[in-house]
């Protein structure tokens, strides 16, 4: 999506010598609502034929984009919660996700009533790095007996493993901007 690439070039800041892209001015802290509405419309266009019944993301930064996509597709957006929640009643689907960025494991949960057999689920997230968050969401979708129709990502870091691994397992991954390389001298996108 050319408008997203231009926005990244205009407003993105490269940190940690090229391993982290800061996009807090429109995606991760302040939200550019009009722009996210445009991204949501693009996601809806890409998955228009896929009979999506639900959007699924993980809190926190994925939520804004999930809402934009859900509004454009006219379906609910569900966010998996990262809180440690008691599952004594068995009312939750839960799975453990490993974050390489933070070098930690965390549990994500969704209440069973919000992910159902027969749901056709589109995963939406702001970043795709190592792909572990999305693998966790795929696990929740499988536990529910629902179907994953694909993943729509705003920014894929193409130099990390996630995109390749998820596509290799047969998931349709649509990233609106794929960063091939970034360092202090700039950003190169994959087309
Ligand atoms: P993975 O899910 O793809 O395996 O990624 P990883 O664990 O490495 O990423 C951990 C967190 O860092 C995720 O957010 C992810 O969206 C975010 N992230 C990864 N690379 C970048 C980057 O270059 N720039 C920015 N801005 N974020 C990045 P999270 O910890 O779940 O936090 P939240 O913001 O969604 O609450």
């Amino acid at each position: 999506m050319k408008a997203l690439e231009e926005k990244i070039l205009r407003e993105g800041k490269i940190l940690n010598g090229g391993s982290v892209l800061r996009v807090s001015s429109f995606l991760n802290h302040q939200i550019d609502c009009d722009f996210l509405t445009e991204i949501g419309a693009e996601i809806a266009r890409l998955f228009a034929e896929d009979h999506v019944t639900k959007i699924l993301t993980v809190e926190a930064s994925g939520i804004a984009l999930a809402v934009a996509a859900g509004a454009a597709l006219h379906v609910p957006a569900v966010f998996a919660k990262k809180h440690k929640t008691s599952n004594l009643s068995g009312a939750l689907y839960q799975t453990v996700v490993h974050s390489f960025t933070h070098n930690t494991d965390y549990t994500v949960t969704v209440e069973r009533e919000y992910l159902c057999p027969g749901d056709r689920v589109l995963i939406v997230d702001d970043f795709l790095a190592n792909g572990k968050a999305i693998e966790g969401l795929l696990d929740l979708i499988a536990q529910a007996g629902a179907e994953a129709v694909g993943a729509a990502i705003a920014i894929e870091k193409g130099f990390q493993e996630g995109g390749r691994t998820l596509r290799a397992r047969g998931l349709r991954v649509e990233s609106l901007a794929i960063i091939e390389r970034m360092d202090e001298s700039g950003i190169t996108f994959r087309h």
Side-chain angles (χ1 to χ4, degrees):
M1 186 183 176
K2 194 151 182 41
L4 177 57
E5 292 181 357
E6 288 171 355
K7 187 99 167 156
I8 292 168
L9 291 175
R10 262 197 324 274
E11 299 185 22
K13 296 192 171 51
I14 298 164
L15 306 180
N16 289 8
S19 62
V20 172
L21 177 69
R22 189 166 181 271
V23 283
S24 297
S25 65
F26 66 96
L27 189 59
N28 287 145
H29 193 15
Q30 172 172 265
I31 307 289
D32 184 331
C33 301
D34 285 342
F35 190 65
L36 257 64
T37 301
E38 277 180 46
I39 296 184
E42 176 63 7
I43 292 172
R45 191 186 65 76
L46 289 167
F47 288 91
E49 309 299 324
D50 292 275
H51 307 286
V52 174
T53 64
K54 206 157 274 181
I55 306 290
L56 181 64
T57 191
V58 194
E59 67 177 352
S61 298
I63 294 176
L65 197 53
V67 170
L73 283 163
H74 306 289
V75 297
V78 176
F79 60 94
K81 297 191 176 189
K82 283 182 182 163
H83 310 282
K84 277 240 180 287
T85 316
S86 155
N87 190 26
L88 292 178
S89 64
L92 302 169
Y93 300 115
Q94 65 179 39
T95 194
V96 175
V97 173
H98 179 71
S99 169
F100 285 98
T101 303
H102 302 303
N103 192 26
T104 181
D105 288 343
Y106 59 94
T107 302
V108 290
T109 64
V110 169
E111 289 187 27
R112 284 174 181 253
E113 65 182 294
Y114 302 127
L115 211 48
C116 307
D119 265 333
R120 293 177 56 79
V121 183
L122 174 61
I123 294 171
V124 168
D125 214 348
D126 55 339
F127 270 91
L128 171 56
N130 294 295
K132 297 299 176 193
I134 289 174
E135 286 179 19
L137 295 179
L138 287 169
D139 185 17
L140 297 177
I141 292 167
Q143 288 178 41
E147 188 180 342
V149 303
I153 308 294
I155 304 172
E156 175 177 339
K157 291 157 84 184
F159 52 88
Q160 291 186 240
E161 286 302 295
R164 201 171 54 78
T165 308
L166 292 167
R167 290 181 181 102
R169 67 184 266 186
L171 186 72
R172 177 180 170 200
V173 180
E174 298 281 359
S175 299
L176 303 187
I178 304 180
I179 296 175
E180 186 73 60
R181 193 185 55 76
M182 62 178 182
D183 55 34
E184 282 79 4
S185 66
I187 298 175
T188 310
F189 294 101
R190 186 186 301 165
H191 293 115

